[in-house]
Each structure stands twice: as structure tokens, then as C-alpha cells.
Amino acid sequence: GWDGAKARIATWVLLEIVQDEKGRGLRNRIENDDDPPWQICVVNAHLDHVGVRAREESAKALLSLVDGLQQNYSRAFVVLAGDFNSVKSNNKVYETLTQGRRGGG
């Protein structure tokens, strides 16, 4: 779509720690909801290398995906990684993905 040279996808996985390094179950040690999250959600994407609009629209779609994952898995850390085919300075993709976010940069 848009002006992209190739079709692109984003994949994600939810990982949960169920045992510590000695093989003991962690679920039994979690006493209340104030404990730190034991989940991490990782999103991986590869944005188009040709289409500027494709990268910009994909960044918006990724942000929507990340927001949805944060709502559905509120105790999980959500990490966005990948090849964004863009540079950090003066770049709309970078600005879209990091504006008002922790860990951007």
C-alpha cells in the first residue's frame, strides 16, 4: 500500500516469566497486584526502504498496535524494535514513534 516497494508486516509475542533461575515457580511468589509485571511484549517491524509515506503510515499503525497491546496487557512492558529505515534527526517516523514516550531514543 501507499508508496511502498514491498509488503511489510509486524510481529509480536507476549513472554511471561514462570520460573526463576533455580526452577522455582514465580506465580506462587506474587502476592498482590502491586508486584512488578512478569510479562514483556515484544513487537518487531521492518518498514519500507523506498516509500516515505509507507514508513510514516506504518509508524502510525505501529503506534496503534503498541497502544492496543498496552491496554490489553497492562502489566506487561511493551518493547518496539525493528528496522525503521529512517534516521533519528528531522524524521517524521522517529517523531511519531517517540513523541511523549518513555525510552525513545
Side-chain angles (χ1 to χ4, degrees):
W2 304 300
D3 60 352
K6 300 193 179 231
R8 301 295 179 154
I9 64 168
T11 56
W12 66 272
V13 63
L14 179 67
L15 305 170
E16 183 173 322
I17 299 171
V18 294
Q19 292 183 339
D20 65 12
E21 66 279 0
K22 295 181 181 176
R24 296 178 295 209
L26 291 177
R27 284 192 178 276
N28 297 333
R29 295 170 50 197
I30 298 174
E31 296 177 8
N32 60 48
D33 288 340
D34 294 331
D35 287 332
W38 299 102
Q39 296 177 329
I40 184 168
C41 187
V42 180
V43 179
N44 184 55
H46 188 175
L47 301 189
D48 198 78
H49 65 294
V50 174
V52 173
R53 181 168 179 225
R55 284 192 300 274
E56 292 172 357
E57 296 297 330
S58 294
K60 293 175 192 174
L62 284 170
L63 207 55
S64 178
L65 173 62
V66 167
D67 288 343
L69 291 170
Q70 288 175 324
Q71 288 176 1
N72 290 328
Y73 304 103
S74 60
R75 291 179 50 102
F77 292 105
V78 179
V79 177
L80 174 60
D83 181 350
F84 303 110
N85 277 311
S86 54
V87 294
K88 187 174 179 177
S89 61
N90 298 320
N91 186 288
K92 197 167 184 177
V93 171
Y94 179 82
E95 291 173 11
T96 298
L97 293 176
T98 60
Q99 190 172 24
R101 305 276 173 171
R102 293 182 305 162

